[in-house]
Amino acid sequence: MAQEYIFWPMIVMALLTFIPLGMMPIKRIQSALRGETTPDDYKLGESARVPADVSLPNRNYMSTLEVPVLFHVLSLALYATNRVNAVFLSLAWAYVVLRIGHSIIHLTYNRVMHRLVPFAASNFVLIVMWVMFALSLLRFGSN
């Protein structure tokens, strides 16, 4: 299998990160134009005056940068050790699809129990990937 295939789920994950990043200034400017917030409301993050719909893209953006860092690191490790195979690639795509589902729910109707399912499932997939990677290192050593 071409090792470079692992970069496609990484690219899609990066694109997912750019969506809330692009939404943040739009929501903040709209809020300022409505008189709901001022620049001081963002001086130390977000003040209590910032409406939930304005805070949401920022929180989603942070979420796409937290645990997914471990996904990106693992993907690069798989590439560097020549361990990208159909199983890892399928799990990588499963992780990304679950994160997309989480973000769609988070950025739209935001029901916590609904977004918990893809969030928890994505974390489970990532843990499985890391365990499999570690076992492959133990079992086969370096290539």
Side-chain angles (χ1 to χ4, degrees):
M1 167 170 287
Q3 297 298 294
E4 293 81 13
Y5 288 170
I6 197 66
F7 294 131
W8 288 108
M10 292 175 67
I11 289 167
V12 173
M13 193 65 220
L15 292 173
L16 181 63
T17 302
F18 298 144
I19 292 169
L21 179 63
M23 291 173 68
M24 285 189 320
I26 294 167
K27 291 286 197 174
R28 288 177 177 189
I29 290 168
Q30 289 173 339
S31 177
L33 292 174
R34 288 190 303 263
E36 297 171 335
T37 58
T38 67
D40 284 343
D41 289 310
Y42 304 99
K43 198 180 243 180
L44 300 173
E46 293 181 336
S47 76
R49 288 180 10 106
V50 177
D53 69 304
V54 178
S55 291
L56 202 53
N58 182 53
R59 184 60 206 120
N60 188 262
Y61 174 67
M62 291 187 309
S63 179
T64 62
L65 293 173
E66 292 167 344
V67 176
V69 166
L70 296 173
F71 169 75
H72 292 294
V73 168
L74 177 58
S75 296
L76 291 172
L78 289 167
Y79 177 79
T81 59
N82 199 36
R83 283 181 165 78
V84 176
N85 60 33
V87 173
F88 276 122
L89 190 60
S90 297
L91 288 169
W93 278 115
Y95 178 79
V96 171
V97 167
L98 288 164
R99 289 303 306 221
I100 290 169
H102 170 264
S103 284
I104 288 170
I105 295 166
H106 196 193
L107 292 170
T108 58
Y109 68 95
N110 197 23
R111 181 170 276 163
V112 174
M113 293 311 291
H114 288 186
R115 77 173 204 249
L116 174 64
V117 173
F119 181 76
S122 70
N123 289 331
F124 178 76
V125 168
L126 188 58
I127 291 166
V128 167
M129 289 177 72
W130 271 102
V131 168
M132 287 175 53
F133 177 64
L135 290 175
S136 77
L137 292 174
L138 289 173
R139 200 172 311 133
F140 301 111
S142 59
N143 289 339

